[in-house]
Coordinates of all heavy atoms in Angstrom, one line a residue:
V225 N -13.6 44.0 -20.7 CA -12.4 44.2 -19.8 C -12.6 43.3 -18.6 O -13.6 43.4 -17.9 CB -12.4 45.7 -19.3 CG1 -11.2 45.9 -18.4 CG2 -12.3 46.6 -20.5
S226 N -11.6 42.5 -18.3 CA -11.7 41.5 -17.2 C -10.4 41.2 -16.6 O -9.3 41.3 -17.2 CB -12.3 40.2 -17.8 OG -11.5 39.7 -18.8
N227 N -10.5 40.9 -15.3 CA -9.3 40.4 -14.5 C -8.1 41.4 -14.5 O -7.0 40.9 -14.6 CB -8.9 39.0 -15.0 CG -10.1 38.1 -15.1 OD1 -10.8 37.9 -14.2 ND2 -10.2 37.5 -16.3
T256 N -18.5 45.3 -21.2 CA -18.5 44.5 -19.9 C -17.2 44.8 -19.2 O -16.1 44.6 -19.8 CB -18.7 43.0 -20.1 OG1 -19.9 42.7 -20.7 CG2 -18.6 42.2 -18.8
I257 N -17.3 45.2 -17.9 CA -16.1 45.4 -17.1 C -16.3 44.5 -15.9 O -17.3 44.6 -15.1 CB -15.9 46.8 -16.6 CG1 -15.8 47.8 -17.8 CG2 -14.7 46.9 -15.7 CD1 -15.8 49.2 -17.4
T258 N -15.5 43.5 -15.6 CA -15.7 42.5 -14.6 C -14.4 42.0 -13.9 O -13.4 42.0 -14.6 CB -16.5 41.3 -15.1 OG1 -17.0 40.5 -14.0 CG2 -15.7 40.5 -16.1
N259 N -14.5 41.7 -12.7 CA -13.4 41.1 -11.9 C -12.1 42.0 -12.0 O -11.0 41.5 -12.2 CB -13.1 39.7 -12.5 CG -14.2 38.7 -12.4 OD1 -15.2 39.0 -11.7 ND2 -14.2 37.7 -13.2
C260 N -12.3 43.2 -11.7 CA -11.2 44.2 -11.8 C -10.9 44.8 -10.4 O -11.8 45.0 -9.6 CB -11.4 45.2 -12.9 SG -11.3 44.6 -14.6
I291 N -13.2 53.8 -11.5 CA -13.9 53.5 -12.7 C -14.9 54.7 -13.0 O -15.7 55.1 -12.1 CB -14.7 52.2 -12.6 CG1 -13.7 51.0 -12.3 CG2 -15.6 51.9 -13.8 CD1 -14.4 49.7 -12.1
I304 N -24.1 48.8 -20.8 CA -22.8 48.6 -20.2 C -23.1 48.0 -18.8 O -24.0 48.3 -18.1 CB -22.1 49.9 -20.0 CG1 -21.7 50.5 -21.4 CG2 -20.8 49.7 -19.2 CD1 -21.2 52.0 -21.3
T305 N -22.3 47.0 -18.5 CA -22.4 46.3 -17.2 C -21.0 46.3 -16.5 O -20.0 46.1 -17.1 CB -22.9 44.9 -17.4 OG1 -23.0 44.3 -16.1 CG2 -22.0 44.0 -18.2
I306 N -21.0 46.6 -15.2 CA -19.8 46.6 -14.4 C -20.1 45.6 -13.2 O -21.2 45.8 -12.5 CB -19.5 48.0 -13.8 CG1 -19.3 49.0 -15.0 CG2 -18.2 47.9 -12.9 CD1 -19.1 50.4 -14.5
S307 N -19.3 44.6 -13.0 CA -19.6 43.7 -11.9 C -18.3 43.2 -11.3 O -17.2 43.2 -11.9 CB -20.4 42.5 -12.5 OG -19.6 41.8 -13.4
N308 N -18.4 42.8 -10.0 CA -17.4 42.1 -9.3 C -16.1 42.9 -9.3 O -15.0 42.3 -9.6 CB -17.1 40.7 -9.9 CG -18.4 39.8 -9.9 OD1 -19.3 40.0 -9.1 ND2 -18.5 38.9 -10.9
C309 N -16.1 44.1 -8.9 CA -14.9 45.0 -8.9 C -14.7 45.5 -7.5 O -15.6 45.7 -6.7 CB -15.1 46.1 -9.9 SG -15.1 45.6 -11.7
V310 N -13.4 45.8 -7.3 CA -12.9 46.3 -6.0 C -12.3 47.7 -6.2 O -11.4 47.8 -7.1 CB -11.9 45.3 -5.3 CG1 -11.4 45.9 -4.0 CG2 -12.6 44.0 -5.1
T331 N -25.8 48.7 -15.8 CA -26.0 48.0 -14.5 C -24.6 47.9 -13.9 O -23.6 47.7 -14.5 CB -26.5 46.6 -14.7 OG1 -25.6 45.8 -15.5 CG2 -27.9 46.6 -15.5
V332 N -24.6 48.1 -12.5 CA -23.4 48.0 -11.7 C -23.7 47.2 -10.5 O -24.7 47.5 -9.8 CB -22.9 49.4 -11.3 CG1 -21.7 49.3 -10.4 CG2 -22.8 50.4 -12.4
T333 N -23.0 46.1 -10.3 CA -23.3 45.2 -9.2 C -22.1 44.5 -8.6 O -21.1 44.3 -9.3 CB -24.3 44.1 -9.7 OG1 -24.9 43.4 -8.6 CG2 -23.7 43.1 -10.7
N334 N -22.2 44.1 -7.4 CA -21.2 43.4 -6.7 C -19.9 44.2 -6.6 O -18.9 43.8 -7.2 CB -20.9 42.0 -7.3 CG -22.1 41.1 -7.2 OD1 -23.1 41.4 -6.4 ND2 -22.1 40.0 -7.9
I335 N -19.9 45.3 -6.0 CA -18.8 46.2 -5.9 C -18.4 46.4 -4.4 O -19.2 46.6 -3.5 CB -19.2 47.6 -6.4 CG1 -19.7 47.5 -7.8 CG2 -18.0 48.6 -6.3 CD1 -18.7 47.0 -8.9
S336 N -17.1 46.3 -4.1 CA -16.6 46.4 -2.8 C -15.6 47.6 -2.8 O -14.7 47.7 -3.6 CB -15.8 45.2 -2.3 OG -15.3 45.3 -1.1
S370 N -26.4 48.0 -7.6 CA -26.8 47.1 -6.5 C -25.6 46.3 -5.9 O -24.6 46.2 -6.5 CB -27.8 46.0 -7.1 OG -27.2 45.2 -8.1

Side-chain angles (χ1 to χ4, degrees):
V225 179
S226 58
N227 309 311
T256 296
I257 301 171
T258 190
N259 301 342
C260 292
I291 297 177
I304 297 168
T305 181
I306 302 171
S307 63
N308 306 332
C309 291
V310 175
T331 66
V332 182
T333 190
N334 296 348
I335 305 297
S336 178
S370 63

